[in-house]
Amino acid sequence: MNRSKSLILSGLLRGKKSQGRKRVMIMNLLKINDLKCHYLTDVDTIKAVDGISFEIKEGEILGIVGESGSGKTTVAS
């Protein structure tokens, strides 16, 4: 099922009828493509986040899990 286009749910009163089922558009609340965050220091460049992509749709929950120093807080802020 292609969730980015539509989701078929029965009993909803939106969209066109299709044999007792309705089409409902699911929209992205947040979409991130190729997020990069690099910190410059006197000595080096620290790549805290280097090319992460994700999307959160209506009704979804995103959990970010990883090792200490992996960039979770940088992605969330």
Side-chain angles (χ1 to χ4, degrees), residues 3-4 25-32 54-58 60:
R3 292 187 61 171
S4 65
M25 296 302 295
I26 301 296
M27 58 186 265
N28 287 332
L29 298 178
L30 177 66
K31 185 173 185 175
I32 304 293
F54 61 89
E55 57 187 45
I56 303 172
K57 293 182 177 22
E58 191 174 357
E60 290 184 335

Side-chain angles (χ1 to χ4, degrees), residues 62-75:
L62 174 69
I64 301 174
V65 180
E67 296 179 4
S68 177
S70 64
K72 299 177 300 292
T73 301
T74 301
V75 169

Side-chain angles (χ1 to χ4, degrees), residues 31-47:
K31 185 173 185 175
I32 304 293
N33 286 317
D34 199 30
L35 175 66
K36 296 179 183 185
C37 185
H38 300 174
Y39 296 105
L40 301 176
T41 68
D42 292 336
V43 180
D44 204 359
T45 300
I46 309 297
K47 295 181 179 181

Side-chain angles (χ1 to χ4, degrees), residues 3-37:
R3 292 187 61 171
S4 65
K5 293 198 177 194
S6 65
L7 178 63
I8 297 176
L9 301 172
S10 61
L12 289 175
L13 299 174
R14 261 174 108 179
K16 253 187 172 179
K17 254 187 175 179
S18 174
Q19 297 178 356
R21 294 185 174 190
K22 310 288 179 179
R23 273 194 191 270
V24 177
M25 296 302 295
I26 301 296
M27 58 186 265
N28 287 332
L29 298 178
L30 177 66
K31 185 173 185 175
I32 304 293
N33 286 317
D34 199 30
L35 175 66
K36 296 179 183 185
C37 185

